[in-house]
Amino acid sequence: MNTNLQTPIDYLKGVGPNRADLLRKELGIHTYQDLINLFPNRYIDRTQYYKINQLQRNNADVQVIGEITNLKDVGEGRAKRLVATFKDDTGVMELVWFRGQKWIRESIKLGKPYVIFGKINWFNGVFNMPHPEMEFLEEHEKNLRSAMQPVYPSTEKLSNKGITNRVISKIMQELFLETKGNFSESLSENEISELKLISKSEALFNIHFPKNQELLSRAQFRLKFEEFFFIQLQLIIKNLIHKSKIKGFNFEHVGNNFNTFFKEHLPFELTNAQKRVLKEIRADLGSNAQMNRLLQGDVGSGKTIVALMSMLIALDNGFQACLMAPTEILSVQHYNSLFELCNKLNISIKLLTGSSNTSERKEIHKMLENGELQILIGTHALLEDKVKFKNLGLAIIDEQHRFGVAQRSKLWHKNDTPPHILIMTATPIPRTLAMSVYGDLDISIIDELPPGRKHIKTVHRYDKNRLKVFRFIKDEITKGRQVYVVYPLIQESEKMDYKDLMDGYESIVRDFPMPQYQISIVHGKMKAADKDYEMQRFVKGETQIMVATTVIEVGVNVPNASVMIIESAERFGLSQLHQLRGRVGRGAEQSYCILMTGHKLSEDSKTRLQTMVSTNDGFEIAEVDLRLRGPGDLMGTQQSGVLNLKIADVIKDKDILQHARHYAKSILKSDPSLSLPEHKVLRYTYSQLTKYKNIWNYIS
Ligand code: ADP
Ligand code: MG
C-alpha cells in the first residue's frame, strides 16, 4: 500500500508541528508530495577533505578535519562574535559565530577532532568559516558520505532555527523510508521507452540521493523533461480549445481596399518576412476561429504596414478596425502616417486619446456606433466603456509589453463575438521561450529588416569624453542630421532624474547656442499639447536636438535623426537600450548610438554595454537580457507557470524545453483528447495537474 503523498508534512517522523510550520511558511512545503519535489539546487562533494594549507581564496564550500584549541569573544554590541581557533597539522584557521553563541560555547569540546564544513572567507591574513556545519570525526565516520551530497534551497530563517541542510536531508531520508521510495509513474510506458527515461521512482531517488554522476544526470533529465512536458501539454491544449471553442468572424475575401492599396499605394516592396506574416494573418482571419496572434519584429522591421494591410482586410469584409498604442506620441504618429494612406483610399480614420476634447469624442462615439468610422487609432482611451463599435472586426495592439492581459481581454468584450486580435511587439522574446510562455497565442516573426538599412554604429563613451562627443554631434548637425539625447527617468529617483535632465538640457543649450542650433525638450511632466508641439518641431526638422526622457522610447519615427546619445546608459535595461537605439537608423544615412556612462560600472552593466556595442540583433540582445534578468519580468510568465519551475530552467535547459514541446505536440496531434489506452497515465497525471475539469469536452 502506497503512502498517501497528500499527507501533511507534520506527520513525517522528525518533523513535528514547529518544523512543519517553518517548512510551510519558508518553503511552501505542506505535504509529502511538496517535500519530494523540493529539489536540490546543487551537489557538493563530501568525500573530499582539505588541509588548511590547501585552502584557496576561491574555495566555495570546503570540508576540513581538525580540532578547536581556543574560544574567545571578540567585539562589542552587535559586532560581538564568538571566534574559535581551529587547527590541523598544516595550519590554523578560525570559526566564527554571530548568533547562538551561548549554545555553541556550551556544546563545543576543545581538543576533540571535528569535521567542519562550510564556506570560507579570507580576512586579516587568515581563513575563517562563519557558522560551520560541525560533527565529531567519530560520528562522521559512521555515516556514508557521497561525492554528490545535495544542497537544498533554504532561507535565513530556516537555518537560524536549526533546519540546516543536514536536517532537510534527514527528513528526506525519513520520507523515503516511510514511502519505501515507491512513487507512481507519471508518464506512459511509451514515452519512457521511446525517450529512454528512467522511472519516476528511480529519478526521485537519484535526485535526492545520487548513486553516481550518470544516474544523477539521467534523473535530472527525466524530471526536467517531465516538468516542461506537462506545461507544454497544458499550453497546447489551451490553444486547441481556444481554436475550437472561440468562433471568430470569418473574413472570407480580400477586396477593394486591400487590392487597391497593394497595387497602387504601397510605398515600397514588402520584405519577404512581411509577406509571410501577412499570409499567416490572412489565413487566421479566414479560418472561422478568432485570431489571437503575436507579431514579433525588431524595431524598424516594418510592423506598421502589416497592421494597416490587416485592417484593410477587415474593412473589405465590412468590419471596423482599431489600433491601440501605449503613448499619446505614438498614437499620434501612427495616426499621421496612416491618415494619408487612408485618405487616398477614401477610408475614414480618427484619433482618440486622453487629450481629445469633448466634441471630438462625441463625434467619434457617434461615428463608431453608426459605422461611419472605419479605423480608430488611439491610446488606452479606446478601452473606455463609452467607446462602442458598430462591428469591431480586428483590434491591433502595438508594443504590448505596456498593456496587460486584462486590457487585452477588455478589447475582446467590445462585441458579442470577439474581434480578431493582433499584438505587435518590438521586444523580441527568444523563440523557444515565446512558444512556451505564450501558449494561447500564435506567433509570427518578422526576422528581416527592409533593404538598405545600415548597421547602427554603437560605441560606449565615458562622461569625461563628453566634449569629443559634442564635437561629433556638431559635425552631424552640420551635415543636416538630427540628434536625440535621452536621460533615464526611473520612478524611485524621479526627482533626481528630472534634475539631471534639466541640468543636461542647460549644458546642451550652452554648448549649442541659438540661433545656430534649435533644441526641443520632451518629458513626462509636460502637458500633452506642449509635448506634441516640441515633438512636431523635431519631426519637421525645425529643431536639431531632441532632449528627452524615455517617453520617446517607443515607436517614434524621424528618419533624419541619425545620432542617439543615451545618458547614464548603465541605468537602462538591455531591451530599453535596444528600443532607444531603434529610434535612429531609419533613414538612408549612417546612424550612431553613443552610450554615455560614469566610470564605475557593475559587471551586469558592463555586459549590457558590451552587448549593445557588439550586436544590432534584437533576438540576440533578448537572449542576453533573459540570461541577466531571468524570465521573471517577461509578460505572461506568471500565468503560464514558467516561473514556478521546480527543477528545469527555461534558459539553461532550453533544448529540453524544445524537445518536450515537440513531444507534447506530436502526442496531441495523434490523440488530442489523450483518450488512447496508451495515454492513460498521461491523462491521469494531466487531470491531476489541471484545474480545467471539463477540458475534454472542448477538444476532439
Ligand atoms: P516598426 O516595426 O518598428 O513599427 P515601422 O513600421 O515604423 O517599424 O517601419 C519603420 C520604417 O521602415 C518606416 O519608415 C517604414 O515606412 C519603413 N518600411 C517598412 N517596411 C518597409 C519595406 N518593406 N521597405 C522599405 N521600407 C519599409
Ligand atoms: Mg512601431
Side-chain angles (χ1 to χ4, degrees):
M1 173 81 194
N2 272 347
T3 315
N4 181 0
L5 292 181
Q6 296 312 320
T7 309
I9 197 70
D10 312 53
Y11 295 101
L12 188 62
K13 196 172 153 204
V15 177
N18 290 339
R19 283 180 169 178
D21 214 41
L22 277 166
L23 287 172
R24 267 193 295 271
K25 287 199 181 112
E26 296 296 304
L27 297 174
I29 294 174
H30 297 257
T31 62
Y32 282 23
Q33 174 92 39
D34 296 334
L35 185 62
I36 301 176
N37 289 329
L38 178 73
F39 296 126
N41 287 331
R42 59 198 170 88
Y43 299 82
I44 44 176
D45 187 349
R46 294 293 296 260
T47 58
Q48 200 186 354
Y49 300 89
Y50 284 82
K51 292 285 183 189
I52 291 175
N53 71 355
Q54 291 173 326
L55 297 179
Q56 289 181 5
R57 292 195 205 183
N58 60 359
N59 276 139
D61 287 302
V62 296
Q63 183 165 248
V64 187
I65 302 171
E67 55 184 61
I68 292 172
T69 56
N70 181 34
L71 265 176
K72 60 178 187 250
D73 290 314
V74 181
E76 290 294 328
R78 294 183 70 207
K80 193 171 159 216
R81 56 202 186 272
L82 179 65
V83 176
T85 309
F86 188 77
K87 233 175 104 173
D88 71 1
D89 51 5
T90 70
V92 176
M93 62 185 284
E94 289 180 343
L95 313 179
V96 187
W97 291 268
F98 298 92
R99 300 176 301 266
Q101 293 163 18
K102 185 165 172 281
W103 184 77
I104 300 281
R105 180 182 275 287
E106 284 165 8
S107 56
I108 271 178
K109 300 242 177 337
L110 297 186
K112 235 186 131 180
Y114 275 101
V115 178
I116 59 160
F117 176 80
K119 283 199 192 329
I120 47 169
N121 301 310
W122 176 253
F123 185 69
N124 271 350
V126 277
F127 281 106
N128 72 67
M129 184 182 290
H131 290 262
E133 263 185 43
M134 306 182 58
E135 216 174 359
F136 290 120
L137 178 61
E138 211 174 286
E139 258 170 54
H140 180 85
E141 281 170 342
K142 284 188 206 144
N143 293 321
L144 270 182
R145 295 290 142 180
S146 159
M148 286 156 291
Q149 181 152 322
V151 179
Y152 288 99
S154 185
T155 66
E156 202 184 330
K157 199 150 182 196
L158 280 180
S159 36
N160 282 352
K161 300 267 177 179
I163 306 192
T164 57
N165 196 55
R166 197 165 46 166
V167 170
I168 294 189
S169 291
K170 260 259 159 61
I171 299 175
M172 198 66 81
Q173 278 174 23
E174 286 301 333
L175 180 71
F176 274 76
L177 281 177
E178 192 174 325
T179 56
K180 305 199 174 59
N182 223 333
F183 304 107
S184 51
E185 187 47 69
S186 45
L187 292 169
S188 297
E189 259 169 54
N190 273 354
E191 283 84 64
I192 295 177
S193 65
E194 265 178 55
L195 300 164
K196 302 196 174 61
L197 300 175
I198 56 176
S199 73
K200 179 88 170 196
S201 294
E202 212 181 345
L204 286 173
F205 183 85
N206 279 286
I207 209 76
H208 293 296
F209 313 101
K211 285 185 193 146
N212 56 47
Q213 185 58 51
E214 198 212 325
L215 276 168
L216 174 60
S217 303
R218 294 189 66 189
Q220 286 170 325
F221 181 84
R222 144 99 215 209
L223 295 170
K224 286 174 180 181
F225 179 88
E226 169 173 352
E227 187 165 39
F228 280 140
F229 176 78
F230 283 106
I231 291 176
Q232 290 307 314
L233 214 56
Q234 279 182 62
L235 290 173
I236 298 166
I237 288 176
K238 222 165 106 190
N239 191 325
L240 288 175
I241 292 173
H242 183 101
K243 285 201 170 129
S244 65
K245 196 180 118 197
I246 310 208
K247 290 276 169 276
F249 298 120
N250 190 5
F251 296 172
E252 275 168 355
H253 54 276
V254 169
N256 240 339
N257 288 312
F258 187 95
N259 288 329
T260 311
F261 180 79
F262 191 74
K263 283 188 204 120
E264 292 168 28
H265 303 297
L266 198 59
F268 34 67
E269 179 163 1
L270 296 178
T271 62
N272 286 329
Q274 285 169 320
K275 286 182 200 163
R276 187 189 63 235
V277 164
L278 265 171
K279 247 188 220 154
E280 288 165 356
I281 293 170
R282 266 171 68 174
D284 279 4
L285 296 177
S287 74
N288 270 322
Q290 186 230 9
M291 173 170 80
N292 215 3
R293 187 169 280 279
L294 179 70
L295 171 56
Q296 291 198 47
D298 211 342
V299 266
S301 61
K303 294 186 290 294
T304 316
I305 200 87
V306 173
L308 175 66
M309 294 176 78
S310 308
M311 293 198 281
L312 295 180
I313 300 178
L315 269 49
D316 278 340
N317 287 273
F319 285 90
Q320 295 167 305
C322 70
L323 169 57
M324 185 163 83
T327 64
E328 172 130 12
I329 291 178
L330 188 56
S331 324
V332 172
Q333 189 141 6
H334 274 316
Y335 176 72
N336 290 339
S337 60
L338 298 184
F339 180 79
E340 270 176 52
L341 296 170
C342 287
N343 254 358
K344 288 182 187 151
L345 291 166
N346 234 339
I347 287 172
S348 59
I349 176 170
K350 287 213 175 280
L351 174 70
L352 178 69
T353 69
S355 34
S356 307
N357 63 36
T358 319
S359 65
E360 284 170 331
R361 275 167 197 268
K362 275 197 176 140
E363 164 100 7
I364 288 174
H365 293 165
K366 200 182 90 201
M367 287 176 70
L368 272 183
E369 287 187 52
N370 68 21
E372 255 177 272
L373 187 58
Q374 292 168 286
I375 294 180
L376 181 61
I377 312 279
T379 54
H380 292 80
L382 261 61
L383 296 173
E384 288 165 13
D385 291 335
K386 279 191 204 136
V387 179
K388 294 196 187 82
F389 292 81
K390 183 179 178 210
N391 57 357
L392 180 62
L394 170 64
I396 301 181
I397 306 174
D398 196 10
E399 312 289 359
Q400 60 118 86
H401 60 295
R402 303 292 175 94
F403 293 108
V405 174
Q407 288 165 321
R408 240 207 283 163
S409 77
K410 239 183 153 174
L411 271 175
W412 265 57
H413 296 107
K414 292 253 163 206
N415 293 344
D416 294 336
T417 306
H420 295 294
I421 305 257
L422 180 66
I423 297 162
M424 307 197 292
T425 176
T427 311
I429 299 149
R431 227 175 269 245
T432 41
L433 186 59
M435 286 190 303
S436 51
V437 174
Y438 298 109
D440 56 337
L441 297 177
D442 292 303
I443 296 177
S444 288
I445 299 178
I446 305 188
D447 50 4
E448 180 187 0
L449 293 180
R453 264 316 142 67
K454 289 211 177 92
H455 181 89
I456 300 164
K457 283 191 185 150
T458 305
V459 293
H460 169 205
R461 293 285 178 265
Y462 291 104
D463 288 336
K464 61 175 196 229
N465 297 319
R466 185 170 301 277
L467 283 182
K468 266 194 182 159
V469 173
F470 278 10
R471 234 174 289 144
F472 175 75
I473 299 181
K474 283 183 180 160
D475 288 346
E476 284 293 299
I477 293 177
T478 309
K479 289 190 223 155
R481 305 286 102 75
Q482 287 166 286
V483 179
Y484 292 104
V485 184
V486 177
Y487 285 83
L489 180 60
I490 294 160
Q491 236 155 28
E492 294 85 67
S493 51
E494 193 176 321
K495 249 196 179 145
M496 282 304 291
D497 285 351
Y498 270 113
K499 188 174 173 304
D500 287 350
L501 170 77
M502 296 322 290
D503 289 352
Y505 174 67
E506 273 159 29
S507 96
I508 290 171
V509 170
R510 248 179 283 127
D511 268 277
F512 295 82
M514 299 220 280
Q516 194 186 351
Y517 299 101
Q518 301 289 332
I519 301 166
S520 288
I521 180 165
V522 171
H523 60 74
K525 283 194 173 165
M526 291 163 67
K527 287 206 192 88
D530 297 341
K531 259 193 271 184
D532 192 42
Y533 173 76
E534 289 286 320
M535 203 58 224
Q536 285 310 321
R537 290 211 305 153
F538 188 68
V539 172
K540 289 185 202 141
E542 293 168 9
T543 60
Q544 296 95 28
I545 302 178
M546 160 65 76
V547 179
T549 54
T550 39
V551 288
I552 61 142
E553 178 193 340
V554 182
V556 172
N557 191 19
V558 180
N560 190 49
S562 67
V563 183
M564 166 63 65
I565 316 269
I566 304 178
E567 296 286 347
S568 305
E570 72 271 28
R571 294 180 55 201
F572 288 90
L574 257 180
S575 81
Q576 237 183 343
L577 289 172
H578 182 61
Q579 291 279 323
L580 284 169
R581 177 167 61 184
R583 297 310 104 210
V584 297
R586 305 194 145 220
E589 306 307 327
Q590 176 60 55
S591 291
Y592 304 88
C593 175
I594 303 175
L595 307 167
M596 304 293 301
T597 74
H599 218 80
K600 256 193 162 167
L601 296 171
S602 70
E603 284 310 306
D604 276 10
S605 312
K606 280 184 206 159
T607 308
R608 289 197 296 268
L609 295 164
Q610 275 158 12
T611 306
M612 287 297 293
V613 169
S614 68
T615 180
N616 271 221
D617 180 339
F619 281 95
E620 219 174 288
I621 289 169
E623 296 263 3
V624 177
D625 197 27
L626 199 60
R627 226 173 38 230
L628 291 179
R629 288 187 316 159
D633 291 343
L634 284 176
M635 200 211 82
T637 44
Q638 279 90 348
Q639 285 92 355
S640 68
V642 168
L643 269 189
N644 304 328
L645 292 172
K646 293 204 166 62
I647 186 164
D649 178 319
V650 278
I651 303 156
K652 290 190 201 119
D653 303 318
K654 68 178 186 199
D655 292 344
I656 304 179
L657 167 57
Q658 211 149 9
H659 191 37
R661 180 171 174 87
H662 253 71
Y663 204 78
K665 257 190 167 161
S666 72
I667 285 182
L668 288 171
K669 200 167 176 187
S670 63
D671 183 16
S673 55
L674 299 182
S675 48
L676 295 178
E678 64 258 40
H679 294 145
K680 195 172 152 213
V681 181
L682 278 190
R683 188 183 161 106
Y684 178 75
T685 312
Y686 184 84
S687 69
Q688 296 289 85
L689 286 172
T690 170
K691 295 189 285 287
Y692 308 101
K693 293 259 154 40
N694 295 325
I695 204 155
W696 310 111
N697 301 339
Y698 296 130
I699 43 181
S700 75

